[in-house]
Amino acid sequence: MSKGQAKQFKSDRYSAKDDTDELELITDKLALDLRKSIRQLEIFPILSEAWFQMAETFVRIASISEMESKLPAAKKDATLWETEEQALRFILEDGKLNLCLRCLVDFKQQQIASRKSLNGPMMEYTTECDKFEKSIGSIMRNAWQHVEALQTTDLPALLLHIHDVLTATLEMPEYISSLIKKGDLYYRQEILIFYYLNGIFKHMEDVREHRVMPIVRERGIFMLLIRVLNQFCNPIEGSILKLHRLKAADTLSLLVETEDFNTHRSSYYNQSGLGGDIDAMVELKECCLKDLLTDMDSRKMIRPLVDCIDRAKRQMKSLALKK
């Protein structure tokens, strides 16, 4: 290497180091700004000026969280602190996770009331409300895929929220149908609650059944999920995307594999066929799950749910013959 080449090589090395240092400074500044924004999250009156500003903050956090969630983890089954999901770590470290849940619950309760009455200030700010719901929903979905987040979550509050969303969905079929037709149901709570539950059931060993399943059983969440999923798979009105149906079916499969479900099966659905529970389960298999069962991987994933439905159907026929 000539002296000129050596000098150029040395210059390039220093230039690369300067670029790296500058990138690190920018990254550190962005992290500080992100943390500052997260620390400013509070419970504000819905549709107040402070709430609108917080909604924009959630949009930024959601954008970062979505990007970070797609980065490769350090290893399989990595903890949140071993991934690149800095936004979620800051939310947990600053104790803002349950505050975000409270914000989401308060918002959805008021939104449901406005939708039912077709009145109220929320009807005038649909764009802002959509941004809030979809961004905070995305953040919480990403958070509840991690056991560390689930272990610090107010699970009774989350499960009650899920119950209320499911109930309201069944009470407003025309409105939900309009959202499905427009392709605007995704990232709303009506879809995301299946993802929330999926995260819970996948980590049930760490979360512990006694914290979850009694509430699921007492609130009738299993049959609510079945009926809502049937509503989402209407051959005439339209159906949700296959990937969401598969996630919902996987969630139900994880649910029916729990010890509590198999111990208290009669408390989850009416085994005699009264109330239309088993008819709803059969409808789910024949309509919503039909195309999923043509794929080997999907069929394997949702096999527990299909077996549960087939068992319930046989049981109802057996009871009918005895009469």
Side-chain angles (χ1 to χ4, degrees), residues 100-204:
C100 290
L101 172 58
R102 174 68 185 279
C103 287
L104 177 60
V105 169
D106 290 349
F107 166 82
K108 197 62 182 177
Q109 287 176 345
Q110 196 161 320
Q111 185 194 59
I112 289 170
S114 292
R115 284 178 177 174
K116 286 181 178 179
S117 66
L118 298 177
N119 198 6
M122 273 195 174
M123 306 300 288
E124 301 174 23
Y125 295 96
T126 55
T127 300
E128 292 81 0
C129 289
D130 284 356
K131 284 165 61 175
F132 179 87
E133 179 178 9
K134 293 177 181 181
S135 59
I136 193 172
S138 171
I139 293 165
M140 304 313 274
R141 179 201 59 196
N142 292 339
W144 288 321
Q145 302 311 305
H146 297 280
V147 66
E148 298 87 1
L150 289 167
Q151 288 173 331
T152 60
T153 295
D154 182 350
L155 290 176
L158 173 56
L159 291 168
L160 181 58
H161 167 69
I162 290 169
H163 166 270
D164 291 348
V165 171
L166 290 168
T167 302
T169 301
L170 292 173
E171 292 172 347
M172 298 183 288
E174 291 182 1
Y175 180 76
I176 297 301
S177 177
S178 71
L179 290 176
I180 293 174
K181 286 178 179 177
K182 292 187 292 185
D184 193 29
L185 194 63
Y186 315 116
Y187 285 99
R188 295 184 185 276
Q189 290 304 289
E190 289 79 8
I191 290 287
L192 290 181
I193 54 173
F194 286 95
Y195 286 80
Y196 301 162
L197 284 171
N198 195 272
I200 292 173
F201 293 136
K202 277 189 173 175
H203 294 290
M204 191 64 84

Side-chain angles (χ1 to χ4, degrees), residues 45-319:
I46 295 173
L47 302 184
S48 66
E49 187 59 39
W51 185 89
F52 284 125
Q53 292 175 5
M54 185 173 68
E56 292 299 331
T57 298
F58 277 130
V59 170
R60 292 196 298 274
I61 297 171
S63 177
I64 294 169
S65 177
E66 281 293 286
M67 179 187 66
E68 291 179 338
S69 70
K70 293 175 173 62
L71 296 173
K75 61 182 180 180
K76 187 179 179 181
D77 298 324
T79 67
L80 182 58
W81 278 265
E82 293 171 320
T83 69
E84 299 297 324
E85 296 185 76
Q86 195 172 56
L88 297 182
R89 287 205 308 274
F90 289 167
I91 288 173
L92 258 69
E93 288 170 356
D94 291 328
K96 297 294 185 178
L97 184 66
N98 283 319
L99 180 141
C100 290
L101 172 58
R102 174 68 185 279
C103 287
L104 177 60
V105 169
D106 290 349
F107 166 82
K108 197 62 182 177
Q109 287 176 345
Q110 196 161 320
Q111 185 194 59
I112 289 170
S114 292
R115 284 178 177 174
K116 286 181 178 179
S117 66
L118 298 177
N119 198 6
M122 273 195 174
M123 306 300 288
E124 301 174 23
Y125 295 96
T126 55
T127 300
E128 292 81 0
C129 289
D130 284 356
K131 284 165 61 175
F132 179 87
E133 179 178 9
K134 293 177 181 181
S135 59
I136 193 172
S138 171
I139 293 165
M140 304 313 274
R141 179 201 59 196
N142 292 339
W144 288 321
Q145 302 311 305
H146 297 280
V147 66
E148 298 87 1
L150 289 167
Q151 288 173 331
T152 60
T153 295
D154 182 350
L155 290 176
L158 173 56
L159 291 168
L160 181 58
H161 167 69
I162 290 169
H163 166 270
D164 291 348
V165 171
L166 290 168
T167 302
T169 301
L170 292 173
E171 292 172 347
M172 298 183 288
E174 291 182 1
Y175 180 76
I176 297 301
S177 177
S178 71
L179 290 176
I180 293 174
K181 286 178 179 177
K182 292 187 292 185
D184 193 29
L185 194 63
Y186 315 116
Y187 285 99
R188 295 184 185 276
Q189 290 304 289
E190 289 79 8
I191 290 287
L192 290 181
I193 54 173
F194 286 95
Y195 286 80
Y196 301 162
L197 284 171
N198 195 272
I200 292 173
F201 293 136
K202 277 189 173 175
H203 294 290
M204 191 64 84
E205 188 176 333
D206 296 295
V207 174
R208 302 297 183 188
E209 282 195 24
H210 72 271
R211 295 182 62 203
V212 175
M213 296 311 294
I215 302 174
V216 172
R217 176 167 21 99
E218 290 161 12
R219 291 284 176 174
I221 288 176
F222 173 69
M223 284 310 305
L224 285 173
L225 291 168
I226 295 280
R227 289 191 164 89
V228 165
L229 194 49
N230 278 335
Q231 184 178 336
F232 289 166
C233 301
N234 190 310
I236 298 173
E237 298 293 334
S239 179
I240 61 173
L241 292 176
K242 188 174 181 179
L243 70 95
H244 297 302
R245 283 189 285 121
L246 181 58
K247 179 64 71 172
D250 180 43
T251 300
L252 284 162
S253 290
L254 293 168
L255 191 161
V256 302
E257 286 190 298
T258 61
E259 183 179 341
D260 192 85
F261 182 89
N262 287 285
T263 302
H264 305 285
R265 190 179 293 264
S266 61
S267 297
Y268 284 89
Y269 64 90
N270 191 314
Q271 295 179 307
S272 69
L274 294 174
D277 286 1
I278 295 178
D279 288 339
M281 293 165 72
V282 172
E283 179 187 345
L284 183 76
K285 180 185 175 183
E286 294 178 350
C287 297
C288 193
L289 306 183
K290 187 175 180 180
D291 62 332
L292 299 179
L293 294 171
T294 61
D295 178 78
M296 186 178 295
D297 291 336
S298 298
R299 188 165 67 244
K300 183 180 179 181
M301 182 186 295
I302 64 176
R303 178 68 181 272
L305 174 60
V306 174
D307 288 348
C308 173
I309 294 172
D310 289 343
R311 172 178 171 167
K313 188 177 179 180
R314 288 193 305 269
Q315 206 166 23
M316 184 173 69
K317 285 183 177 179
S318 176
L319 287 170

